[in-house]
Amino acid sequence: MCRHLGWLGAPRSLGELVLRPEHGLLVQSYRPRRQRHGLLNADGWGVGFYPAQRPEPARWRSSRPLWGDASFASVAPAISSSCVLAAVRSATAGMPIDETATAPFSDGRWLVSHNGRVDRSVLGPHPAAESVCDSALLAAHLFDFGPARLGEFIAGVAARDPAARLNLLVTDGQRMLATRWNDTLSVLRAGDGVVLASEPFDPRFGAGMRELVGVAHAHLRSALDYTLLIPSKETGIRRFCLWAIGLAVLTLRKIEHNPRFTAGAQVKVTRSAVAMTRLLTNVAGRSDGALRLLFAQAARGLPLARLSDLRRARPAPPNLDQATVGEPEHALRRSYGNTGS
Ligand code: GLN
């Protein structure tokens, strides 16, 4: 499994983002810490970035190990961008090792990086794929499908290839989307931007998971509010929603206790907890008050984000050390510059 990283915020140099961090992509190319497939990422590297005054990204890729590239090391500190997508590669068995098989892949304004593997036969051929590599093919299909509909695309591919690992970073220079599907994803909100990465490159990432739990918790509260709008005599559909909400809260508790989990099995709720959730939601299913109480009890102690804060534009604070972290699960809209989102 390769490793990748995305930056969206105030301009940062490629050196600062890729080479300098204590446990950045350079170190991850020879000593990844959380990688479960492959020991090294020595089959190439790639960086995509958006030069000022140009909407399309520029790419610099190579099929050699990042640690041996003296030219990149010398030029990287001199190239800065407000949006960067970088990757180091550990080729999947049978895939070619050359520059065209290395992320990021691009089409117009879009850049895509893929950590993982996918069965090429479920994707089908694509005339515009840069390489026969599974990731290049996946990217070509995503470009056709519409990169902004990433979640839908991934769900469709995963349904056709349940063994696929589909961890993507996708950007058009203004926003960055990420999926985690069978691997880790870390988030760091710096004062002047956001980093999304396969694994943390410094200790400040730790706070990211807590903030993500807070965001998910807030969304689950909204889900409960919506569910309680369903008339109480519609017990079937109410129960169906309530079980899902109950199990999601219990999973958040597990994540909160084990924020460094690397596989779903490590934060799976027990069978007895599932049975208890079904029982309690069935018993309390018609009473809004009892259900709210149950939810409050199950979510006790979990961090809670204010969704309105997440949607509001943030002024850029002066420096990176005020960093804390987090943003919703799969989509980060740029809240700097003139988008006003
Ligand atoms: N399958 C892709 C490749 O061969 C990505 C590999 C990975 O994530 N290790 O390049």
Side-chain angles (χ1 to χ4, degrees):
M1 191 89 73
C2 315
R3 307 276 85 184
H4 55 201
L5 167 146
W7 165 255
L8 194 60
R12 289 269 186 97
S13 82
L14 303 184
E16 232 178 315
L17 289 166
V18 176
L19 303 177
R20 199 159 359 113
E22 184 189 326
H23 194 77
L25 281 186
L26 173 60
V27 178
Q28 289 171 33
S29 69
Y30 55 83
R31 202 191 320 123
R33 286 188 290 196
R34 298 201 181 171
Q35 193 160 328
R36 285 178 298 136
H37 301 271
L39 298 172
L40 282 181
N41 295 291
D43 300 322
W45 60 270
V47 179
F49 56 94
Y50 293 79
Q53 270 108 45
R54 213 185 86 168
E56 278 88 30
R59 287 185 295 166
W60 186 352
R61 297 180 297 167
S62 161
S63 59
R64 291 176 307 160
L66 180 58
W67 67 77
D69 205 313
S71 300
F72 181 68
S74 128
V75 179
I79 302 176
S80 291
S81 175
S82 59
C83 180
V84 174
L85 203 164
V88 289
R89 178 170 182 230
S90 164
T92 299
M95 300 299 155
I97 299 186
D98 65 45
E99 197 181 308
T100 58
T102 308
F105 304 99
S106 115
D107 180 45
R109 302 175 68 131
W110 291 97
L111 289 172
V112 167
S113 167
H114 170 222
N115 278 187
R117 56 150 299 280
V118 58
D119 181 347
R120 286 176 288 182
S121 67
V122 309
L123 297 173
H126 196 296
E130 257 190 280
S131 154
V132 296
C133 172
D134 58 349
S135 304
L137 200 57
L138 185 74
H141 281 281
L142 174 60
F143 291 138
D144 268 4
F145 187 84
R149 291 161 61 207
L150 180 63
E152 215 181 307
F153 176 76
I154 293 300
V157 175
R160 281 176 277 140
D161 177 9
R165 297 194 299 273
L166 300 164
N167 305 281
L168 275 83
L169 280 183
V170 175
T171 183
D172 61 357
Q174 292 297 309
R175 59 192 156 160
M176 193 163 289
L177 306 150
T179 57
R180 50 166 292 177
W181 196 281
N182 284 334
D183 200 1
T184 53
L185 177 72
S186 298
V187 185
L188 170 64
R189 176 180 282 281
D192 58 349
V194 176
V195 185
L196 292 171
S198 322
E199 51 185 270
F201 62 55
D202 75 24
R204 287 170 305 163
F205 274 90
M209 186 54 83
R210 199 171 157 73
E211 196 164 329
L212 288 177
V213 168
V215 173
H217 177 189
H219 283 298
L220 286 175
R221 282 196 173 202
S222 309
L224 179 68
D225 289 341
Y226 285 123
T227 304
L228 296 185
L229 295 176
I230 301 170
S232 57
K233 64 178 187 346
E234 301 291 345
T235 45
I237 182 76
R238 257 169 95 105
R239 247 184 240 157
F240 180 76
C241 299
L242 292 167
W243 289 347
I245 294 171
L247 292 175
V249 175
L250 295 180
T251 306
L252 282 188
R253 294 196 76 88
K254 291 261 182 187
I255 294 175
E256 170 74 354
H257 286 123
N258 183 11
R260 300 182 62 122
F261 75 100
T262 51
Q266 295 162 15
V267 291
K268 207 169 156 199
V269 294
T270 60
R271 274 166 189 271
S272 56
V274 174
M276 187 55 85
T277 307
R278 292 179 62 157
L279 184 78
L280 290 175
T281 46
N282 288 355
V283 172
R286 282 168 179 268
S287 158
D288 290 6
L291 287 167
R292 286 194 190 282
L293 210 67
L294 270 179
F295 183 93
Q297 197 59 26
R300 206 161 39 123
L302 286 179
L304 178 65
R306 284 216 324 234
L307 294 178
S308 54
D309 283 355
L310 294 169
R311 293 192 187 110
R312 208 176 301 138
R314 290 166 200 242
N319 67 55
L320 182 109
D321 293 331
Q322 301 182 349
T324 51
V325 191
E327 182 93 353
E329 50 281 13
H330 59 276
L332 291 165
R333 265 175 201 288
R334 187 165 191 178
S335 47
Y336 308 88
N338 56 10
T339 63
S341 60

